[in-house]
Amino acid sequence: MSYDIKKYFPYAQIREQQSLAILYALQNFLKNDKRFVIIEAGTGVGKSAIGLTVSKYIHDNYHYNGDYGNGTWYLTTQKILQDQYIKDFGQSEKMRSVKSAKNHACTSSGTNCKEGQMMLRNSDKKDNQWRKCIFECPYKKEKQEFLESWDSVANFSYFLTETNSSGKIKPRKLLVIDEAHNTESVLSNFVEMGISQYFAEKIIKVKWPAKVTPVNFVKWVLTDYYPKLQSQILFRVAPF
Ligand code: SF4
């Protein structure tokens, strides 16, 4: 199968490595029916242009009947990479980006949006800032554009928080993960549970496992730690 990728590529010249990677991804998605494709390419190859071209080709040439919205989510692990996407494709491809309120510098309040909103709690409704936050907020506009754009880039932590809380980020046909080798650690850091030997042995009186390996430890949590913890919680809460 041949794919006319040049018309979807964002620049005049396409490098051989880029062309190979794009064709490989398309072949596996469209012909071999794969759901996931991993591309390993060195620094300077131009990986973001690869993702963008695959996205554009798929949206023009592949009609999927499942319950997925149009467009592509692009995820980066670093906010600096997110900014680079917008520098490269914000104007030309109308790619849109959003960050958390804490990372959004608000020109209107002179601080980040999170602090701006906290200040608002103590301000009068007649304040100029109040009107700006409610009716003219640039951050709300930015978020809306991010949700409506076909090509939307966010950092991992923002994306995970929003998908698990607001529910406005819906699955799309394609998800492009930049620096995907970090996915496992980002996901496991998102929900963390700390278990200390002191707490286990001294407070809830359960013996620490003799050998701590990932498999052993999970087994121990399920069979020893969690049941004991639960009984202690029930015991301590009961008098109230
Ligand atoms: S105007 Fe918008 S971005 Fe600025 S502090 Fe208010 S809510 Fe946040």
Side-chain angles (χ1 to χ4, degrees):
M1 195 184 268
S2 71
Y3 305 96
D4 178 14
I5 54 175
K6 281 211 172 126
K7 76 178 205 190
Y8 298 102
F9 194 73
Y11 303 118
Q13 290 297 323
I14 180 164
R15 297 185 192 120
E16 195 190 342
Q17 286 163 305
Q18 290 175 312
S19 170
L20 276 174
I22 294 164
L23 294 175
Y24 175 79
L26 292 176
Q27 179 79 359
N28 279 291
F29 281 136
L30 305 181
K31 184 135 193 296
N32 301 341
D33 216 17
K34 299 283 182 199
R35 290 186 64 207
F36 305 99
V37 171
I38 297 174
I39 290 171
E40 187 174 357
T43 314
V45 167
K47 294 186 283 289
S48 45
I50 295 172
L52 188 86
T53 309
V54 172
S55 158
K56 292 202 169 300
Y57 190 96
I58 284 181
H59 290 302
D60 259 15
N61 297 281
Y62 179 65
H63 301 287
Y64 181 72
N65 295 324
D67 192 15
Y68 289 91
N70 283 322
T72 297
W73 300 118
Y74 297 79
L75 296 191
T76 69
T77 46
Q78 297 173 48
K79 293 176 192 86
I80 193 165
L81 287 176
Q82 193 180 343
D83 294 339
Q84 188 62 44
Y85 267 96
I86 293 305
K87 200 168 157 228
D88 293 344
F89 307 128
Q91 279 286 327
S92 58
E93 308 293 333
K94 304 210 176 337
M95 183 178 277
R96 293 293 176 262
S97 153
V98 77
K99 293 179 187 158
S100 66
K102 197 175 73 183
N103 288 295
H104 178 88
C106 172
T107 45
S108 148
S109 65
T111 178
N112 66 57
C113 177
K114 192 170 182 192
E115 280 182 14
Q117 290 194 36
M118 278 159 69
M119 280 155 46
L120 206 64
R121 286 188 203 150
N122 303 320
S123 72
D124 195 282
K125 284 191 182 174
K126 288 180 193 131
D127 279 1
N128 201 23
Q129 188 59 43
W130 183 277
R131 182 181 49 76
K132 285 196 171 152
C133 286
I134 303 300
F135 300 111
E136 298 164 19
C137 171
Y139 186 42
K140 277 184 205 149
K141 188 166 168 269
E142 193 178 299
K143 267 180 148 178
Q144 198 54 35
E145 286 180 358
F146 164 81
L147 292 169
E148 288 170 1
S149 171
W150 271 63
D151 292 298
S152 315
V153 59
N155 57 72
F156 243 115
S157 51
Y158 176 85
F159 193 82
L160 288 173
T161 308
E162 285 291 306
T163 42
N164 282 283
S165 59
S166 82
K168 286 189 179 160
I169 294 183
K170 305 280 186 213
R172 287 182 172 181
K173 272 191 204 163
L174 190 67
L175 174 71
V176 174
I177 304 180
D178 209 331
E179 307 270 340
H181 56 278
N182 293 315
T183 305
E184 190 182 352
S185 71
V186 174
L187 288 177
S188 47
N189 286 342
F190 183 65
V191 180
E192 254 182 334
M193 183 173 67
I195 298 178
S196 79
Q197 186 168 359
Y198 178 86
F199 182 79
E201 292 187 336
K202 303 281 183 209
I203 311 292
I204 63 168
K205 313 279 186 221
V206 61
K207 200 169 174 308
W208 194 249
K211 203 171 160 199
V212 178
T213 63
V215 175
N216 260 357
F217 200 73
V218 171
K219 259 192 212 159
W220 172 80
V221 169
L222 294 174
T223 57
D224 298 31
Y225 181 81
Y226 183 65
K228 196 70 194 281
L229 184 68
Q230 220 173 15
S231 72
Q232 291 282 316
I233 291 170
L234 291 175
F235 176 75
R236 282 162 201 266
V237 167
F240 299 97

